[in-house]
């Protein structure tokens, strides 16, 4: 895109704030755009509230503003609509929704962070569009606004002029993608390195580690097995090996996996190994043969099949995504 304006070549980013807004939803995008200015970006930021008064965030921090919505003149290149934990109150506030509609009408592009999607939906700006929000609230968004096609695992989704993103820190992912579109991948990459964040996040909202999201178990034998798998994914984790490690029968270990984790031993091991392979692809340039061997897949072909079956992407394509935010790819970004 690389669009520049005649007025000094800057792009105007307008951030809308309101009482109870989540602080990181606001500061995350601001940090990305202001950091971009250090590496060749040309952004001018303005913070507005409905009445021009400062607001108190959900964290209790006061935020100053530059103008009221009515006094904010000019067309925004990017309008940022953050969210807040009290979203159910926000969507019933007609003054708030009116301010969002006014700002959107004066914006070339509107983006939301986390539950900011609820504000856009309640304002009628997501009707017939695809959208994303925090994984914990995505089902509720779909229920309350059936005209919105919710992408439950997406980090961010672009549909026309509107882009919605997932929970809290996903606003950083989205802002990096916007910077890449405006100023190129090198600027976005420099910002990501400066902020010590991923250029493109490894995973959709279901990315949280397999071990971390597994239910806590009081079964000591099973805990020993799970810890052994996590510590050394590439070693022998056949059913017989796990049973020996736990000191119980293969039938019993299978039943524990089913009852405690809701999966099979083989499926669990594959997920842990897949996670380990993702980490190696994200952080290094090891050949596929070494990655397959060290993570227990054995061969590059077995590694490839596991990636395609679980993530719908090859290991090579997964690694390539860390060279870009993915802004030039599909409008729905799962970034797995």
């Amino acid at each position: 895109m690389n669009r520049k304006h005649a007025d000094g070549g800057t792009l105007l980013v307008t951030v809308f704030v309101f009482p109870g807004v989540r602080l990181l939803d606001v500061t995350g995008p601001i940090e990305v755009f202001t950091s971009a200015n250090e590496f060749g970006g040309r952004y001018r930021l303005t913070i507005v509230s409905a009445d021009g008064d400062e607001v108190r965030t959900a964290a209790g921090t006061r935020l100053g503003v530059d103008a009221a919505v009515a006094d904010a003149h000019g067309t925004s290149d990017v309008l940022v609509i953050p969210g807040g934990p009290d979203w159910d109150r926000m969507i019933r506030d007609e003054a708030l929704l009116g301010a969002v509609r006014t700002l959107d009408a004066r914006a070339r592009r509107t983006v939301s962070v986390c539950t900011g999607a609820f504000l856009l939906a309640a304002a009628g700006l997501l009707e017939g569009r695809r959208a994303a929000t925090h994984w914990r609230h995505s089902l509720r968004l779909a229920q309350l606004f059936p005209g919105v096609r919710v992408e439950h695992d997406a980090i961010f989704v672009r549909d026309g002029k509107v882009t919605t993103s997932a929970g809290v820190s996903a606003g950083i992912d989205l802002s990096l993608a916007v910077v890449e579109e405006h100023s190129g991948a090198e600027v976005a990459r420099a910002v990501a390195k400066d902020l010590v964040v991923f250029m493109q996040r490894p995973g959709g909202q279901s990315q949280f580690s397999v071990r971390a999201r597994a239910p806590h178990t009081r079964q000591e034998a099973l805990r020993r097995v799970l810890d052994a798998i996590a510590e050394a994914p590439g070693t022998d984790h056949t059913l017989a090996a796990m049973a020996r490690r736990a000191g119980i029968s293969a039938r019993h270990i299978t039943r524990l996996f089913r009852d405690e984790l809701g999966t099979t031993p083989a499926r669990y091991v594959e997920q842990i190994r897949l996670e380990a392979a993702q980490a190696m692809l994200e952080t290094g340039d090891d050949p596929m043969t070494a990655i397959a061997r060290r993570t227990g897949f054995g061969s590059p072909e077995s590694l490839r099949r596991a990636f395609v079956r679980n993530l719908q992407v090859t290991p090579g394509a997964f690694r390539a995504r860390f060279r870009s935010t993915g802004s030039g790819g599909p409008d729905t970004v799962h970034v797995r």
Side-chain angles (χ1 to χ4, degrees):
M1 183 185 296
N2 294 316
R3 183 179 63 245
K4 302 295 182 185
H5 289 172
D7 59 336
T10 60
L11 294 162
L12 176 61
V13 177
T14 299
V15 183
F16 179 55
V17 297
F18 47 85
V21 69
R22 190 182 293 275
L23 185 60
L24 187 56
D25 286 10
V26 176
T27 58
I30 286 176
E31 283 293 330
V32 170
F33 290 116
T34 55
S35 294
N37 289 340
E38 301 176 26
F39 301 102
R42 299 292 297 275
Y43 293 99
R44 177 168 64 89
L45 279 90
T46 183
I47 302 176
V48 303
S49 65
D51 55 10
D53 291 339
E54 68 174 19
V55 302
R56 187 182 291 275
T57 70
T61 305
R62 291 185 179 276
L63 285 179
V65 304
D66 300 308
V69 170
D71 299 326
H73 301 297
T75 299
S76 299
D77 292 286
V78 183
L79 167 64
V80 179
I81 305 295
D86 197 15
W87 59 266
D88 54 341
R89 175 194 56 80
M90 290 158 34
I91 64 175
R92 297 192 300 272
D93 187 332
E94 284 302 324
L96 198 61
L97 299 181
V100 170
R101 294 186 190 101
T102 298
L103 290 169
D104 174 75
R106 300 201 299 248
R108 290 188 171 90
R109 180 173 185 179
T110 296
V111 305
S112 71
V113 183
C114 196
T115 54
F118 283 85
L119 273 175
L120 294 183
L125 302 175
L126 293 183
E127 191 67 22
R129 297 185 189 271
R130 294 176 298 119
T133 190
H134 192 288
W135 62 269
R136 192 170 56 179
H137 303 299
S138 63
L139 181 59
R140 190 61 177 149
L141 180 65
Q143 291 171 337
L144 287 176
F145 304 100
V148 179
R149 303 196 301 277
V150 179
E151 299 278 350
H152 295 278
D153 191 44
I155 297 296
F156 59 84
V157 176
R158 182 170 186 176
D159 193 329
K161 69 171 279 187
V162 180
T163 307
T164 49
S165 65
V168 194
S169 59
I172 295 174
D173 300 79
L174 171 55
S175 300
L176 283 170
V178 172
V179 168
E180 183 178 6
E181 290 182 27
H182 289 159
S183 304
E186 288 305 316
V187 173
R189 188 174 297 113
V191 174
K193 289 181 179 179
D194 189 55
L195 298 179
V196 196
V197 296
F198 286 112
M199 178 70 163
Q200 181 182 135
R201 187 184 304 226
Q205 293 198 72
S206 60
Q207 70 184 295
F208 310 109
S209 76
V210 178
R211 187 70 175 96
R213 67 175 183 258
H216 176 72
T217 176
R218 296 182 180 179
Q219 299 289 339
E220 183 179 349
L222 181 58
R223 284 204 307 272
R224 287 201 304 271
V225 170
L226 298 182
D227 289 342
I229 298 169
E231 289 169 8
T235 58
D236 181 10
H237 297 302
T238 60
L239 184 58
M242 285 188 276
R244 285 195 303 271
R245 193 172 295 124
I248 57 180
S249 69
R251 177 178 294 182
H252 192 187
I253 196 72
T254 300
R255 184 165 59 249
L256 286 178
F257 267 88
R258 183 193 64 219
D259 295 344
E260 297 286 319
L261 304 180
T263 189
T264 66
R267 176 65 175 162
Y268 186 89
V269 170
E270 181 179 69
Q271 290 300 304
I272 292 289
R273 286 174 169 168
L274 191 67
E275 188 172 87
Q278 287 176 277
M280 292 184 68
L281 288 165
E282 295 158 14
T283 58
D285 294 312
D286 298 274
M288 293 300 173
T289 52
I291 293 174
R293 184 180 65 254
R294 290 171 57 187
T295 57
F297 284 105
S299 69
E301 178 57 26
S302 295
L303 177 68
R304 189 194 69 80
R305 286 199 300 267
F307 264 72
V308 172
R309 182 170 60 252
N310 290 277
L311 305 178
Q312 292 78 54
V313 65
T314 65
F318 180 89
R319 171 177 273 166
R321 290 187 176 191
F322 285 87
R323 308 300 191 258
S324 166
T325 62
S327 65
D331 291 338
T332 300
V333 178
H334 294 272
V335 277
R336 286 178 153 180

